[in-house]
Amino acid sequence: MDTHYSTSHDEDHVPISYSPLPDLPDPAGPPAKGLRRPLKVFAVTLASVVFLLSLVALVIHQSPQTPVTVDNGGSSMETEGRGVAQGVSEKSFRGFSGRRLSFNWTSSMYAWQRTAFHFQPEKNWMNGPLFHMGWYHLFYQYNPDSAVWGNITWGHAVSRDMIHWLYLPLAMVPDQWFDLNGVWTGSATILPSGEIVMLYTGDTVDAVQVQNLAYPANLSDPLLLNWTKYENNPVMVPPTGIASDKFRDPTSMWVRPDGYWRVAIGSLVNTTGIVLVYKTTNFTDYELLDGILHGVPGTGMWECVDFYPVLIDGDYGLDTSDFGSNIKHVLKASMDDNRHDYYALGTYDSVNNTWTPDNPELDVGIGLRLDYGKFYASKTFYDPVKKRRILYGWINEGDLESDDLKKGWASLQSMPRNILHDNKTGTHLLQWPIDEVESLRTNSTEFEDVLLEPGSVLPLEIGSGSQLDIAAEFEVDKETLETILAVESDAIYNCSTSAGAAGRATLGPFGILVLANDELSELTPIYFYIAKDTDGSYKTFFCSDLSRSSLAESDVDLSIYGSTVPVLEDENLTMRVLVDHSIVEGYSQGGRTCITSRVYPTEAIYGAARLFLFNNATSVNVTATIKVWEMSSADIHPYPLDQL
């Protein structure tokens, strides 16, 4: 949910007339821990405890413990996933097919998987934000009845710092004909007068996606507890030529000098994902603009569209209506076909209602992604207090629905990320956890100039590895780097199709192992891989390998995620990794490339979760400097409404 303060292709043939809906009557209607005082511990060298082990032997040749299994007696997958039948993206992890054996999870394992400092509801299933009278408000898609997708309502929580949260009563429920099948994604716009306009997609009683208006019942209430739905909803319906289930997710609105406020909505024509733009002056009557803002053939339905400006020569965020010669506009869309969030930088022409990407090869849906792991349906909002643009992403599970039902909850929000234009490359955004995350840091341990020889694994003595903030820097021996001949296979390296951290090569992989046990029968490598092409050029990859993350191999996602990351000549390789039980968020080179992973170990949990450095390259030494903070739990609990 966003917030605002103050050639011939398929898309050329989008008609602009409305196809109105018939008039329909209204139907009857584990405890958080406190912060601890930081204790800093520094270590200069650990050469004496380096284990010269072969990681490839550990990962490939080690025989995993045989799990206790239960025959489920049939297919682990439904023929059609949750949400698909109602015209939205797949909402379940569907990595398996056919008969399978299920791991015998314990209640202790389920309890460990719940995160400590990421926001998630007390129970059940969830899927944005605004700032009002001193509070950050988070509205989220929520199923109050079950840990699977369905019965979508709007959950509501508030925070002073986007770290510690207070649950509030449901903000909106599906109780009118225009949203009876679900109160879906929406966005807030805060007008110069301070009024709040909320647009959201409702799935009607006839399964038609429409845009509805809501507003606070009491604007002077800092908690915004009660919301009123506009009596003449819907305010926008699918135009002629747009399918009834391909019209959803309004953005925050922005105003141009002509006095019109504009809002973007995701849609589809044939196989071309498109963005439609409407304009209004009174927020109840909307006019569809001619043409489309942008579209990319072959990318499928675009949902959860986001559109906002970024400053190309500064270090602060912009209001959604800001405009100028030193500004680029980001167009982001969530791809219904593959459940990834893509973005591109470009130029916005508000007069002609067009947005043009800087680089057509990096267009929306075919170029850069916000995150190369589990990260979807993201939304940004402008924080007027600290003049920054904040990004939230929905993080789905990587286990089975049956396990989610047993543990009683599913999915969560990413850590809030500060968004900036990468002024050094000019091609990327920079995503970085907001500064408030650092308030959870407690004990710190630093390991400086640790030499990692080829094939080495180094345990780091930091206590439990379940809740960590890790900052690591790696320096590759430059003389070796320049003299090593290119490996032909490196020219086509890809994280997802590689052998992961087990795939040894001349210049990688090397990095850290998180959520690993002492025996390394479970481990999750976050690593760099340098590929040298035959022309002497380099590509650096940032990857997250889940292939050995859990002994419950039949029940969880074991993918290898990642992509290239630009590394400039004067830069060493850097990563920051947040570990919070079953979620691992990785940021490389200041946030140019990010990866979010869901991890479900069975042994590397609680006090048995360990942290290691490793270098599985065959021919290059790597020097690592790493600082590790233990992280306290955020205070997330219901608001004491009885004290109001």
Side-chain angles (χ1 to χ4, degrees), residues 89-91 127 248 301 303-304 332-341 373-379 392-396:
S89 61
E90 174 65 75
K91 302 300 180 185
N127 184 15
R248 57 183 178 267
M301 173 67 191
E303 58 182 359
C304 298
K332 168 262 165 184
S334 301
M335 299 294 117
D336 191 17
D337 285 357
N338 62 23
R339 285 172 289 161
H340 298 317
D341 278 16
K374 280 193 171 296
F375 187 94
Y376 194 64
S378 62
K379 282 286 188 180
Y392 274 96
W394 172 61
I395 314 301
N396 199 4

Side-chain angles (χ1 to χ4, degrees), residues 620-643:
V620 67
N621 290 333
V622 177
T623 301
T625 294
I626 182 170
K627 190 170 185 177
V628 184
W629 292 267
E630 296 178 47
M631 297 288 278
S632 292
S633 298
D635 191 5
I636 304 176
H637 61 81
Y639 193 98
L641 295 174
D642 57 346
Q643 299 178 18

Side-chain angles (χ1 to χ4, degrees), residues 132 220 391 472 481 558 591 610 618 637:
H132 177 68
S220 64
L391 170 73
L481 191 64
L558 300 178
R610 298 280 183 258
T618 60
H637 61 81

Side-chain angles (χ1 to χ4, degrees), residues 256 293 307 323 329 347-356:
R256 297 302 305 128
L293 181 70
F307 188 63
F323 210 83
H329 273 78
T347 301
Y348 173 43
D349 180 349
S350 62
V351 175
N352 294 306
N353 184 41
T354 58
W355 174 91
T356 304

Side-chain angles (χ1 to χ4, degrees), residues 409-533:
W409 58 268
S411 64
L412 62 150
Q413 293 283 355
S414 68
M415 291 307 296
R417 301 176 182 181
N418 190 31
I419 295 291
L420 290 171
H421 177 262
D422 184 359
N423 298 333
K424 292 183 178 180
T425 66
T427 57
H428 286 62
L429 292 176
L430 297 177
Q431 306 172 60
W432 201 249
I434 61 172
D435 292 343
E436 289 88 337
V437 173
E438 297 175 12
S439 68
L440 297 176
R441 290 173 171 175
T442 59
N443 301 335
S444 67
T445 309
E446 187 167 4
F447 308 89
E448 296 181 335
D449 299 326
V450 180
L451 178 63
L452 298 172
E453 296 180 345
S456 62
V457 179
L458 169 67
L460 301 178
E461 297 302 324
I462 51 92
S464 173
S466 293
Q467 295 176 212
L468 301 175
D469 188 352
I470 305 164
E473 181 174 354
F474 300 89
E475 184 175 3
V476 178
D477 181 72
K478 288 184 170 53
E479 182 177 350
T480 305
L481 191 64
E482 295 299 329
T483 57
I484 287 177
L485 296 176
V487 178
E488 185 176 353
S489 61
D490 275 359
I492 57 172
Y493 185 83
N494 180 290
C495 294
S496 299
T497 58
S498 72
R504 305 191 70 184
T506 306
L507 301 174
F510 55 86
I512 62 175
L513 306 177
V514 301
L515 298 177
N517 59 358
D518 286 330
E519 299 77 22
L520 296 183
S521 59
E522 290 184 329
L523 47 84
T524 299
I526 313 294
Y527 62 90
F528 291 107
Y529 183 101
I530 302 174
K532 189 171 183 179
D533 208 341

Side-chain angles (χ1 to χ4, degrees), residues 45-273:
T45 178
L46 290 178
S48 61
V49 295
V50 173
F51 293 165
L52 294 179
L53 305 173
S54 170
L55 184 62
V56 66
L58 287 168
V59 176
I60 292 183
H61 299 300
Q62 192 169 188
S63 298
Q65 172 182 321
T66 302
V68 178
T69 57
V70 178
D71 190 343
N72 72 350
S75 173
S76 67
M77 297 176 61
E78 300 170 352
T79 57
E80 188 173 62
R82 297 186 186 276
V84 176
Q86 288 185 253
V88 293
S89 61
E90 174 65 75
K91 302 300 180 185
S92 312
F93 174 64
R94 304 171 66 75
F96 316 103
S97 61
R99 293 176 63 86
R100 65 176 178 84
L101 295 177
S102 178
F103 191 85
N104 188 21
W105 297 93
T106 67
S107 58
S108 178
M109 294 175 187
Y110 284 145
W112 178 88
Q113 292 173 13
R114 189 168 178 88
T115 60
F117 54 86
H118 283 72
F119 177 81
Q120 58 187 129
E122 291 181 278
K123 61 180 181 178
N124 299 335
W125 189 95
M126 73 162 293
N127 184 15
L130 65 86
F131 183 83
H132 177 68
M133 297 181 67
W135 291 96
Y136 294 99
H137 290 253
L138 181 63
F139 300 92
Y140 52 93
Q141 292 187 37
Y142 177 56
N143 183 352
D145 298 330
S146 178
V148 298
W149 189 88
N151 186 33
I152 296 303
T153 67
W154 271 23
H156 187 192
V158 292
S159 173
R160 295 289 192 184
D161 58 6
M162 290 184 281
I163 301 298
H164 307 285
W165 290 92
L166 297 166
Y167 300 121
L168 292 176
L170 298 177
M172 287 195 286
V173 300
D175 60 0
Q176 303 296 317
W177 72 265
F178 50 77
D179 61 14
L180 199 59
N181 277 318
V183 180
W184 291 356
T185 299
S187 297
T189 302
I190 299 183
L191 306 182
S193 64
E195 294 176 280
I196 299 174
V197 175
M198 188 76 77
L199 291 175
Y200 71 92
T201 296
D203 191 22
T204 74
V205 66
D206 290 326
V208 177
Q209 294 171 9
V210 298
Q211 312 314 315
N212 300 315
L213 170 65
Y215 47 88
N218 179 9
L219 191 61
S220 64
D221 175 15
L223 299 181
L224 299 176
L225 289 174
N226 299 304
W227 289 79
T228 299
K229 297 175 183 178
Y230 178 51
E231 62 182 357
N232 291 323
N233 277 331
V235 295
M236 287 172 276
V237 299
T240 301
I242 297 298
S244 61
D245 63 347
K246 298 293 186 289
F247 181 69
R248 57 183 178 267
D249 308 336
T251 65
S252 271
M253 289 183 277
W254 66 96
V255 66
R256 297 302 305 128
D258 61 7
Y260 283 97
W261 291 81
R262 290 161 168 80
V263 59
I265 297 173
S267 190
L268 175 73
V269 172
N270 295 330
T271 62
T272 297

